[in-house]
Amino acid sequence: MSIYNLDKIFQPASVAVIGASPREGTIGSALVKNILAGGYGGKIYLVNPQYPEISGLPVSPTLSQVKEPIDLAVLATPIQAAPQIMEECVRQGVKAAVIISAGGKEIGEAGLQVEAQIKETAQRGGIRVIGPNCLGVVCSETRLNATFASHMPLPGKMAFVSQSGAICTAILDLSLKEQIGFSHFVSVGSMLDVDFGDLIDFLGNDSRVSSIILYIESLTNFRKFMSAARAVSRVKPIIVLKSGRSPAGAKAASSHTGSLAGEDAVYEAAFQRAGIKRVHTVAELFDCAELLAKQPRPGGPGLIIITNAGGPGVMAADALAEYGLEPLALHPKTLERLNEMLPSFWSRGNPVDILGDADVDRFRRTVEICLQDPGINGLLVMTAPQAMTDPTGIAEALIQMFSGKRVPVFMVWMGGRDVERGREIFNRAGIPTYETPEQAVRAFWHLVSYKQNLELLQEIPPKLPLIPQYDQDQAREIISRVLQEGMTALTEVEAKALLAAYGIPVNRTAGAAGAEEAVRLAEEMGYPVVLKILSRDILHKTDAHGVELNLQGAEDVRQAFERLQSRARAYNPQARLEGVTVQPQMRRSDYELILGSKKDPDFGPVILFGLGGIMTEVLKDHAVALPPLNRALARHLIENTRVYKLLKGYRNRPPADLVLLEEILIRLSQLVTDFPEITELDINPLILDADGAWAVDCRVLVQPAVCPSPQHLVISPYPNQYEKTLVCRGGLAILARPVKPEDAPLLEDLFRVLSARSIYYRFFRPLKEIPPELLARFTQIDYDRDIVLVAVDQSGTGERALGVSRLMGDPDGIEAEFAITVGDPWQGKGVGAALLESCLAIAREKGFKSVWGITLAENTQMLQLAKKLGFDMQYETGTGEYRLQLDLSKVHYDQGEIRC
């Protein structure tokens, strides 16, 4: 597993320490000691012209004098020497480097120049670099401790990656006290090359890593980070502490949306979309890490709390309530057994208060009964020191019961000296201990909410009643005209025309340069009407008192026109005034909402939804999400606001048309997906009532795009360009197109027409139905790294899936694994060949070098297709399988068809 040679960092066959030193108190000395003390089994070379020997090992004056191959170079020299050393690394064929040295970009322009030289040399030589300005790396499997930390972490299955060396050493020290082990311990420093996305991909593909913990201050390649996290979080928990939660990014915003969707809110939305669980303090990070490292992940929120005191039980229940949870309702059989065993005045519910005189046997028997409750997802056992309590004896008795349990078990041994011995017993046994009920419940909730968010992301979105249509040409014409005129803001008339081109409903709005034109328009529309200032330079009209409501006649309109012009000149004497807009007075609405988008400098467009009106920024009831959106994601965005409770219907207010609201959000998402020129878009308010929805006011800011769509997004949208109509044998016409999340029902129908033989050929095992998590994996894909094409027959009243071809790219972007399934009624008609050929063409376009797959020896149709397409076929002795491999450099095109 290389993932761009990262294996040479963590599993090197040889390591060279450049700047090794015998002098105590130096980084070079600490590195040598740690590598030797850690028990690293590979070859070690030391480089320093000042010393002939260190710690009994010979020292070479320069790297070029080391005659053996070197996988990893660790630099502990002043950073000014690093560019020359990297040149030596290139000549020596070194595969990877860890640069401990500080003094790079953090000191300014001089440091940036040094880093640029290092990066150019490393890229030229194909060397992967961690650092500079980092603590180093640890890999427990290889016993490599290439850091200047004071200790080697205990071995485990959890990986820790940090941008801060200080956080690394603090977590390491705590982990030794709490007996928490790590598979990898990585300080990334300035991330000149290797970044969080690379490491998530690498660690996610390592079977020895069960979870990943991140401390992030900033990100570099945002699209790569999102792609890696979305892929890995489905199979391994990723927990992140993101520091730098600053509102500074919102200060320069011009619209409501811009000020509401601040930097930290965008990170929150990105983490949620990627399936990452975010914590906000080092204490939360460590508590979460301890539970992950020592116990299985909870399958749900069903927590049973056992306590020998009522107060801690109430505190634990209150903590659950803060997160919207309740203690598990005990099964009647559990209650019956507890009633038989416990004193008559026990709590008779959950929390299970077994009273202050509970001895070791009462604790043990209570735990035994509760672990057998069919609804349990976690067990929290608490004790407070009392005269009748033996915290140490209870701990010694309980650890015998917890081995191999399917649910997480964790402890709160409240107190100090009297309970310390019990905590030590639990830590040695791999059972998490916490000091307070709130601390324990919070750690449990973090893991429960990780699972719940993952389930939401894997939810199959329903289709809209009608497929949305968009007038992209009209929208492009509006935006291009404004930019060609040197403007950055659309007028309200232009902004509403832009929304209308994408099917977002707007109220009728027309511009009037003079008072009489305004009267004429008002009489066409019918009274009462509303007049608003029309100016590109006055975005917030209410701030300039630029709105006149409920105008009942011609004279009202004339007077309002003059008042608005006067106010606009007083508010901004330099503003370019184009007159007013005239629009019908809307009747009182059921709901006023805000919808908008802001282009974040890092994550690209962000969609905002919330409570609208003039109090938007005061009440701050809003949520943000990253495009592209589907119905499920749009609904979750709505549900993350307080106004959602009103939208469901409240007292005399009817429920809102949530399907219509979802559709409008999807249309807005598509608009900012298609046009990277849009920097801010603000619909406030969107009026929603039983008769429909209308964008009553809208502001749009634009700038020339620095990259084409969809490169401005961090999540790749549906690739329309890969849709293709094909004709197979017998004149069977199919549409081969990328799969969509909404296609899950189509694939379920396809699965139902597969014979038992076809199912076995595809999945290598019998299946009666396709599991939901597998269906989500097939339909909710990352279009950047995976290619899934579905063959659709559109000849009937609806769509019907005939087959599916899938290429799953590895994180290197070099190889991809293929699989193909065709429904039994359409086998032998060329559907599979057409799908696979289309997939291979896309794979080559994306830069993949080869594709491979495994098929059973009895799957003769697949073997014939592979032979036809030029695959190399190798029989795997003893498995009954063939490995199929195709070098895409040998694939070429002839009039749109693939030839090998």
Side-chain angles (χ1 to χ4, degrees), residues 223 226-227 230 270 273-274 603 626-628 673 710 712-718 781-784:
R223 188 161 179 155
M226 291 295 292
S227 179
R230 290 174 67 214
R273 182 70 175 269
F603 288 98
L626 300 181
T673 293
H712 64 305
L713 303 177
V714 292
I715 299 175
S716 184
Y718 178 80
I781 69 164
D782 183 345
Y783 296 115
D784 274 341

Side-chain angles (χ1 to χ4, degrees), residues 319-337:
L320 281 173
E322 283 188 25
Y323 304 120
L325 303 177
E326 293 181 352
L328 176 70
L330 299 177
H331 190 274
K333 186 66 176 177
T334 303
L335 285 169
E336 179 184 335
R337 294 180 64 192

Side-chain angles (χ1 to χ4, degrees), residues 415-423:
R417 183 180 58 189
D418 289 349
V419 299
E420 190 60 36
R421 176 63 181 151
R423 286 185 189 148

Side-chain angles (χ1 to χ4, degrees), residues 478 481-482 485 487-499 509-511 533-539 541 576-581 697-702:
I478 294 169
R481 185 177 66 245
V482 171
E485 293 173 358
M487 307 295 183
T488 58
L490 276 64
T491 66
E492 184 181 358
V493 175
E494 292 166 336
K496 288 183 176 176
L498 178 67
L499 297 183
T509 302
I533 291 172
L534 181 59
S535 173
R536 300 179 193 275
D537 301 315
I538 301 177
L539 293 177
K541 302 176 188 68
R576 293 162 291 186
L577 303 180
E578 300 179 39
V580 299
T581 61
D697 202 2
C698 180
R699 288 172 286 277
V700 178
L701 300 181
V702 293

Side-chain angles (χ1 to χ4, degrees), residues 194-210:
V194 176
D195 58 19
F196 285 105
D198 292 321
L199 289 165
I200 289 171
D201 266 329
F202 179 81
L203 298 168
N205 283 273
D206 189 336
S207 60
R208 292 159 297 217
V209 176
S210 62

